[in-house]
Amino acid sequence: MRAWILFFICLLFIGNLSTVQAKTVSKEEFLQLRESIRQAYARSPSEGLERVYFLLTNKAFTLEQSIMVTNYKAWFLLENDELEQAMETIVEYKSMVSHSDEKSLMYGYFNISGGIYARLGLYNEALSYYRDAMPFAKSRDERLVYQTENNIASIYLKLERFDEALTTFENYKHYAQANNQHLNQSFATNNIAASLIGLKNYSEALNILDQAITLQKRHNFTNHLATSLVLKGKVLRLTNRLSESEAILIQAIELINREKIDNEYMDAILCLAATYNAQNNTEKAIELLTSVSSKNYKYVDFKTELDITKFSSQLYEKQGNLENALSSYKQYNEINTAVLTRQASVNIAKALAEADLAAKEVRISELTKAEQIKATKAKAFKELTIAISICLIVILFGSFAAIHSIDNKNKKLANALKQLHDTQKHLIEIEKIASLTALVSGMAHQLNTPIGTIVTASSLIDEYLLSISEKFKAQQLTSKCFHQFITNTASAKELVISNINRLASIVEEFKALNVSIALDKPPVEISLPDYLKQQLSFLDNYLGKQISYTVTGSKVSIVSHPSIITDVLKTLVINSYEHGFKNQDNGSVNMHLVEHGDYVDIIYQDNGMGIKDEILSEIFTPFYTTNLGEQHLGLGLNVVFNAVQYNLKGEICAESCEHGARFIITLPLDVRLVTNNQEAFD
């Protein structure tokens, strides 16, 4: 009985609330509030965010006003590197705009989404969002159009599309000059210099940077001045003016420390360390890199952190300090894993926010239907019997039960996604540790034998020297003994030299595991069957055995990296020679091309001994080889795997075959259209 009374009281309270409308802020008051937000942001992004939270909690806004304030909130969260919350907020912003008549406000959704993905290093996703923002920018004003073009050009820089970036930044500079926007002119000039450096036009880059430095000093743009000095130091190093590079970079670091420009500090340190290394001062470069920590600076781009750890590893390797080199390499992997985890976390936050909004839409729809039913029955309630009123109450209870059920399902979905996220992080850690352990174990196993031989040979030389010394002192040294000493020592020395060369070869093969994504030469269009025939003709009799080659199938042309394709092809042929044709004098290799959609399969088939089914899953693993005793490291097919996956944006697999070895290489018809290997084959 009490429950029924409480229910009717709630209905009465809700009815009273519906008659009271909160007074929204006026246009004049809202303009003042927007100005207060801008002033708070000018002091710091954190203070701007606090101001927005306060206004959203304590002020009643119209829908359009709420959209604008929510846009500030998402932007300030991005500026404070709170990317998960920024993604949730921008999803909410999109939903709000969808209910507004001002559709051009959708510009904020695409613009801030692009900023979030750019911060995560997902540059192709960021580029897509910025391009989607352009139609809305054009519908608003010219300033937003140039801002959007500038955002797109910044992504072109990250993707090393320097020609496109240069053209856009030059247009933006002309626009800034025409409108006396000196700060934007300074920003565009620095980006023009960065594009010219990417294009290796160093003399023009120096001229542009000198113009930028003059402008920045005149208007006291210290942040931009620090960037210009670092870029100039880099150009001077690349043009081998090392003393000037060192001086300008030291000047930049002093400015950065004096003005507390955190976002430029690590780039300046990395550039100065590279200059010291170019001066063959490895010790000073390492000392500089180890003297700073990115943890002390809030705004450090993860790409800079990766570059610093990678460069440190190379410097330690150059010194021969393999332990520290391996430690830096491990740190590099940890940063990379953290970046991947952050990317997954933000995408999960977006999925959860979209799921929550969908549930809210269902809830609003249900409530709207219930309110419509209530309004329809309200008039009849005065005229009809209490039985009809009871039916209405039952309908309302049913609606509330449905909403409660949806809430429970949402909570279960959120818990399931959280468990999936936690499991994903755990699996990443396990896989990382397992991979690193296998890599270190394999390398250690390969290095032990030549190192042991060197140690043994060195000990023999010591014994020979001790023996000859004792005979000399005892005046028992004969020409025979001395000749035997020379012969034995020369043999031991040859043993040391051959094993040192073996160590160098192992290290070079180990370096081949590091496949670079950023290639020096752009992809070009080639006729695949003609190119394969040409390259196979060079390999004819290359290994001392008669091997016949045929290319069949589709007459397909692709845009890719021919030098990488050649390296892959050569490695597979060498693999056939060393393993498949080991016990036969003649061999044949056929490559059959099959085009399907946006991809082409290269089916590589030889007539050799073949590959046992039980080892098919292992052949691409580093250091796995069936010829371990014949100076084989087992790295060739792993390098092929990495080259196909990361350089050629494709896939490679080995299939079971009754006669010979069979590999299937799947490549995109245009490598420029594929940015993420996993996405390409999902």
Side-chain angles (χ1 to χ4, degrees):
M1 188 64 181
R2 289 180 180 177
W4 283 99
I5 295 172
L6 180 62
F7 176 73
F8 278 108
I9 291 173
C10 290
L11 285 179
L12 180 61
F13 180 70
I14 293 170
N16 289 334
L17 283 178
S18 65
T19 62
V20 179
Q21 294 184 353
K23 185 179 180 181
T24 58
V25 300
S26 65
K27 291 183 178 179
E28 293 74 17
E29 184 182 358
F30 184 68
L31 289 174
Q32 294 175 357
L33 293 176
R34 288 184 69 182
E35 183 59 30
S36 72
I37 292 173
R38 294 191 187 100
Q39 291 176 0
Y41 173 74
R43 289 189 289 271
S44 76
S46 299
E47 188 172 340
L49 187 59
E50 290 175 4
R51 180 63 178 161
V52 167
Y53 278 134
F54 174 83
L55 293 177
L56 288 173
T57 304
N58 296 281
K59 295 290 183 180
F61 297 113
T62 65
L63 176 59
E64 281 70 27
Q65 291 171 346
S66 296
I67 290 172
M68 293 179 189
V69 177
T70 303
N71 183 76
Y72 284 127
K73 177 184 174 183
W75 184 257
F76 297 164
L77 285 167
L78 170 60
E79 289 289 293
N80 282 280
D81 205 40
E82 299 178 26
L83 302 186
E84 291 85 354
Q85 294 89 332
M87 184 62 80
E88 292 169 359
T89 303
I90 205 62
V91 169
E92 178 187 0
Y93 175 92
K94 180 183 180 184
S95 176
M96 295 169 68
V97 174
S98 68
H99 294 92
S100 170
D101 294 330
E102 188 59 52
K103 300 304 179 185
S104 65
L105 292 172
M106 193 63 75
Y107 170 83
Y109 169 75
F110 291 108
N111 184 52
I112 296 177
S113 295
I116 293 171
Y117 282 110
R119 184 71 62 86
L120 289 170
L122 299 172
Y123 300 125
N124 285 285
E125 288 83 351
L127 183 60
S128 176
Y129 276 101
Y130 283 141
R131 284 173 173 168
D132 288 340
M134 183 58 76
F136 298 100
K138 291 179 178 178
S139 69
R140 292 176 69 86
D141 60 61
E142 184 184 53
R143 179 183 58 84
L144 289 182
V145 172
Y146 277 98
Q147 177 182 314
T148 305
E149 288 180 347
N150 185 67
N151 291 338
I152 291 172
S154 297
I155 298 301
Y156 284 156
L157 266 185
K158 297 291 186 181
L159 294 173
E160 299 186 359
R161 294 164 63 172
F162 300 115
D163 283 319
E164 296 164 273
L166 179 61
T167 301
T168 305
F169 285 132
E170 286 178 340
N171 291 337
Y172 188 65
K173 180 183 178 182
H174 295 325
Y175 167 78
Q177 286 176 324
N179 291 275
N180 291 320
Q181 298 176 357
H182 300 300
L183 184 63
N184 290 336
Q185 180 184 347
S186 170
F187 178 81
T189 305
N190 278 347
N191 283 325
I192 289 171
S195 303
L196 289 169
I197 293 171
L199 293 169
K200 298 183 179 179
N201 191 344
Y202 301 132
S203 59
E204 183 63 20
L206 279 177
N207 291 333
I208 289 292
L209 286 169
D210 288 335
Q211 295 174 22
I213 290 170
T214 301
L215 174 68
Q216 290 150 5
K217 288 181 177 179
R218 183 166 63 246
H219 295 283
N220 198 28
F221 298 154
T222 53
N223 279 39
H224 289 182
L225 177 58
T227 303
S228 295
L229 292 174
V230 172
L231 288 173
K232 185 172 182 179
K234 181 177 181 180
V235 175
L236 291 171
R237 184 187 78 246
L238 293 172
T239 54
N240 207 31
R241 296 160 64 178
L242 302 181
S243 298
E244 295 175 69
S245 173
E246 179 182 359
I248 204 78
L249 288 171
I250 291 174
Q251 179 186 346
I253 292 172
E254 289 173 351
L255 174 64
I256 290 167
N257 288 330
R258 184 171 63 252
E259 300 294 335
K260 298 181 180 178
I261 310 171
D262 288 353
N263 58 320
E264 289 292 337
Y265 184 70
M266 298 305 289
D267 284 330
I269 289 296
L270 178 61
C271 198
L272 181 56
T275 297
Y276 287 149
N277 182 52
Q279 293 172 336
N280 292 321
N281 198 340
T282 307
E283 287 289 341
K284 196 168 184 179
I286 291 175
E287 181 181 355
L288 178 63
L289 291 177
T290 55
S291 66
V292 297
S293 172
S294 62
K295 296 179 180 178
N296 298 328
Y297 301 91
K298 183 176 180 181
Y299 302 103
V300 178
D301 183 70
F302 74 89
K303 179 68 166 56
T304 304
E305 292 187 74
L306 289 173
D307 289 341
I308 287 175
T309 53
K310 183 178 180 180
F311 189 46
S312 298
S313 178
Q314 293 170 349
L315 291 175
Y316 283 125
E317 185 177 348
K318 183 178 179 180
Q319 276 190 329
N321 191 338
L322 298 182
E323 181 178 355
N324 284 348
L326 187 59
S327 177
S328 295
Y329 177 76
K330 182 179 179 182
Q331 185 181 0
Y332 177 91
N333 284 337
E334 289 173 351
I335 295 172
N336 214 17
T337 300
V339 172
L340 293 174
T341 303
R342 185 78 185 279
Q343 292 172 351
S345 176
V346 172
N347 281 322
I348 289 173
K350 181 180 181 181
L352 285 173
E354 291 175 339
D356 185 58
L357 272 176
K360 287 180 179 178
E361 292 290 341
V362 172
R363 184 182 304 176
I364 291 170
S365 176
E366 292 290 339
L367 288 173
T368 302
K369 291 178 182 178
E371 288 299 321
Q372 290 173 347
I373 294 172
K374 181 180 177 182
T376 303
K377 299 295 183 180
K379 185 176 180 181
F381 184 78
K382 299 176 182 179
E383 301 172 356
L384 299 177
T385 65
I386 193 167
I388 298 177
S389 300
I390 294 173
C391 290
L392 177 59
I393 293 169
V394 170
I395 292 172
L396 289 172
F397 268 119
S399 298
F400 287 124
I403 294 169
H404 181 70
S405 175
I406 291 172
D407 282 338
N408 288 337
K409 289 180 180 178
N410 276 339
K411 290 177 181 178
K412 291 180 180 179
L413 176 61
N415 290 334
L417 286 172
K418 184 177 183 301
Q419 291 176 1
L420 177 63
H421 185 199
D422 293 340
T423 302
Q424 182 188 38
K425 289 174 63 178
H426 182 63
L427 289 174
I428 288 173
E429 289 298 321
I430 291 174
E431 184 177 356
K432 178 184 68 175
I433 293 171
S435 299
L436 187 59
T437 301
L439 199 61
V440 172
S441 298
M443 190 61 181
H445 178 76
Q446 295 296 332
L447 293 175
N448 278 339
T449 300
I451 290 174
T453 303
I454 291 170
V455 171
T456 302
S458 299
S459 299
L460 286 173
I461 292 173
D462 287 340
E463 291 177 9
Y464 297 149
L465 285 171
L466 180 62
S467 175
I468 200 73
S469 177
E470 289 175 352
K471 289 181 179 180
F472 180 76
K473 290 178 181 179
Q475 297 185 352
Q476 296 175 353
L477 181 62
T478 64
S479 59
K480 180 180 180 181
C481 291
F482 189 74
H483 181 266
Q484 184 177 7
F485 164 77
I486 292 174
T487 302
N488 292 340
T489 304
S491 298
K493 182 198 73 172
E494 290 296 324
L495 195 60
V496 169
I497 291 173
S498 65
N499 279 276
I500 287 174
N501 290 334
R502 177 61 181 154
L503 281 174
S505 174
I506 291 172
V507 170
E508 286 302 314
E509 291 192 48
F510 183 69
K511 286 180 179 178
L513 289 173
N514 180 24
V515 178
S516 173
I517 301 298
L519 299 171
D520 291 336
K521 295 182 179 179
V524 298
E525 183 175 2
I526 57 173
S527 171
L528 190 56
D530 294 338
Y531 181 81
L532 292 178
K533 290 176 183 177
Q534 178 188 15
Q535 296 305 311
L536 289 172
S537 67
F538 294 148
L539 294 173
D540 194 22
N541 294 321
Y542 174 77
L543 299 168
K545 288 188 177 182
Q546 181 63 41
I547 301 176
S548 61
Y549 303 99
T550 57
V551 179
T552 59
S554 284
K555 304 292 185 181
V556 59
S557 293
I558 67 173
V559 177
S560 192
H561 301 283
S563 61
I564 303 297
I565 295 175
T566 299
D567 291 341
V568 169
L569 180 65
K570 183 177 179 180
T571 302
L572 291 179
V573 170
I574 291 174
N575 188 71
S576 294
Y577 166 78
E578 293 180 343
H579 299 278
F581 307 143
K582 185 175 182 180
N583 298 321
Q584 62 188 75
D585 293 328
N586 298 315
S588 67
V589 172
N590 173 257
M591 294 192 188
H592 185 66
L593 308 181
V594 179
E595 183 179 358
H596 53 93
D598 294 332
Y599 297 88
V600 60
D601 288 340
I602 303 175
I603 303 173
Y604 178 99
Q605 175 77 55
D606 68 29
N607 67 338
M609 295 170 57
I611 304 172
K612 296 180 180 179
D613 290 347
E614 56 266 28
I615 68 170
L616 279 175
S617 61
E618 299 291 337
I619 61 173
F620 295 111
T621 303
F623 299 108
Y624 182 85
T625 177
T626 56
N627 293 342
L628 191 60
E630 300 179 19
Q631 301 294 317
H632 289 84
L633 284 182
L635 294 179
L637 288 180
N638 180 257
V639 172
V640 166
F641 181 88
N642 290 337
V644 172
Q645 283 237 328
Y646 298 110
N647 290 113
L648 301 180
K649 309 297 183 185
E651 285 192 345
I652 182 171
C653 66
E655 286 191 351
S656 177
C657 185
E658 184 176 354
H659 300 292
R662 181 184 179 90
F663 294 89
I664 298 180
I665 305 169
T666 302
L667 300 178
L669 297 182
D670 192 340
V671 73
R672 299 170 299 182
L673 302 180
V674 182
T675 58
N676 182 287
N677 191 65
Q678 184 62 36
E679 290 178 359
F681 293 93
D682 280 347

